Amino acid sequence: MDAQENKRLIMEGYQMFQKGDIPQLLESYQEDALWIEPEVDNVPFSGLHKGKAAIARFFKELDEAAQALRFEPKDIIAEGDKVVVTGEATWLVRQTGRTYDSPWVHVFTIRDGKVVRFQDYHDTAAGEKAYRPGQPGQATTGASLHH
């Protein structure tokens, strides 16, 4: 695949994510794909996910833990087997009721027409604060946290 085809593959994946069609999204991943999230305290889906079954669990845990109030891919850059996408998101943490904004960068590696590696870079401090369980004197619902 060339860079334009790789860009199309990734943009179609974002559309599937936004529609909630995770089974179809996973069809664009290699069986041995890696999904890499930063390690973040209190965030149940953070860390390394190896293989399609683990990536499917990631999406299940994400859906149980948070709701994307806004998820906007902005710029998409492709060269060779790499696709880099910048974007912004606003998340609602279901357990705490807190929201947070997070700019993000996603780096994809494509092999044989499918994603073999995904790495997410985002504002881990804002996420950690939003997921942190309530503490004395700390609001537990409706507190907005921004980057």
Side-chain angles (χ1 to χ4, degrees):
M1 292 177 60
D2 66 18
Q4 291 304 314
E5 291 170 320
N6 289 344
K7 285 170 73 169
R8 187 179 70 252
L9 173 75
I10 299 308
M11 290 312 295
E12 287 172 356
Y14 283 125
Q15 292 167 356
M16 288 176 235
F17 169 72
Q18 290 172 319
K19 288 187 224 175
D21 191 354
I22 303 308
Q24 185 65 36
L25 170 64
L26 290 172
E27 290 302 311
S28 62
Y29 281 74
Q30 296 285 348
E31 288 299 323
D32 62 345
L34 294 178
W35 185 284
I36 306 164
E37 292 285 329
E39 289 285 346
V40 182
D41 288 344
N42 301 311
V43 178
F45 50 84
S46 69
L48 176 64
H49 310 275
K50 296 179 183 180
K52 281 172 80 167
I55 296 169
R57 280 191 304 279
F58 161 85
F59 281 109
K60 182 178 184 298
E61 291 171 351
L62 172 65
D63 185 55
E64 290 170 353
Q67 176 185 355
L69 301 177
R70 179 175 63 99
F71 187 86
E72 298 176 4
K74 298 284 187 184
D75 298 309
I76 183 166
I77 303 154
E79 186 170 330
D81 66 349
K82 299 280 189 231
V83 178
V84 178
V85 184
T86 65
E88 299 174 355
T90 301
W91 294 96
L92 169 66
V93 178
R94 298 182 195 278
Q95 185 176 4
T96 66
R98 296 186 193 109
T99 62
Y100 69 101
D101 294 328
S102 183
W104 50 262
V105 176
H106 294 162
V107 180
F108 298 86
T109 304
I110 312 297
R111 181 183 74 209
D112 299 328
K114 294 188 176 191
V115 177
V116 69
R117 188 174 194 273
F118 166 87
Q119 185 146 12
D120 177 25
Y121 300 90
H122 64 271
D123 186 348
T124 58
E128 193 280 328
K129 288 177 189 171
Y131 279 89
R132 187 181 308 145
Q135 299 171 7
Q138 181 180 3
T140 56
T141 61
S144 294
L145 299 174
H146 299 280
H147 65 279

